[in-house]
Amino acid sequence: MSIDYDEAYARSRDVPAFSNGTEGETWMANWCYRCLRDAPHRNMGKGSGCPLILVAMMSRTPAEWLDGPRDEQGRYSMADQYHCIEFKVPGGGGGGEPRPKPDPPGMDGLFPRPERATRMFVQPTPEPARQMAGAS
Ligand code: SF4
């Protein structure tokens, strides 16, 4: 799903995301420069790039950028200052419907594809509390 710039701007906080260019570049090198959402613009000059970056360039902090880990003094790593919830991992990651590789053009598959199994985590049944010896 694409991100609308006007909506992203309206959601954003009116504070600069970074205190200087080094902070911004370090964070973007770790997130945006690997993100598939900005890849067409970054690699081929197509489109206008990720709207969240444009919002940040307007001295605002996108709502999609959640604070990354902080220590007890509030310090953070510049590369992990925020976690972008719109980050699209290289290689596709998980999520969404599974998309099996298509058969090569002009060739039928040798075998029918098996149904994809669903794995579910089942919580163990808790054991009832044992009565203490001597308790009534
Ligand atoms: S979606 Fe997030 S991580 Fe990806 S380019 Fe936009 S701001 Fe950067």
Side-chain angles (χ1 to χ4, degrees):
M1 194 165 102
S2 66
I3 306 167
D4 180 76
Y5 171 79
D6 292 326
E7 291 176 9
Y9 186 92
R11 281 192 298 268
S12 64
R13 288 182 286 142
D14 192 13
V15 288
F18 305 106
S19 52
N20 56 54
T22 302
E23 259 195 10
E25 275 298 313
T26 304
W27 185 81
M28 288 176 67
N30 191 36
W31 287 82
C32 304
Y33 297 169
R34 300 185 303 123
C35 178
L36 293 183
R37 205 171 280 283
D38 194 53
H41 177 71
R42 187 175 65 240
N43 297 331
M44 297 173 283
K46 289 185 177 170
S48 55
C50 175
L52 301 182
I53 297 174
L54 300 179
V55 168
M57 288 182 170
M58 300 301 289
S59 294
R60 298 178 71 91
T61 304
E64 290 82 354
W65 294 3
L66 308 180
D67 281 348
R70 302 316 200 231
D71 70 8
E72 51 280 350
Q73 276 92 37
R75 293 178 297 198
Y76 51 84
S77 145
M78 284 197 294
D80 229 13
Q81 182 174 357
Y82 302 106
H83 283 187
C84 179
I85 60 173
E86 293 290 347
F87 177 71
K88 280 182 99 177
V89 67
E97 286 297 307
R99 288 178 291 168
K101 280 189 176 176
D103 292 322
M107 296 182 73
D108 293 330
L110 289 176
F111 306 103
R113 292 179 187 271
E115 283 295 315
R116 194 176 173 95
T118 303
R119 295 178 1 173
M120 297 179 69
F121 177 73
V122 178
Q123 290 279 359
T125 309
E127 287 185 28
R130 294 194 189 125
Q131 288 192 331
M132 294 179 58
S136 52

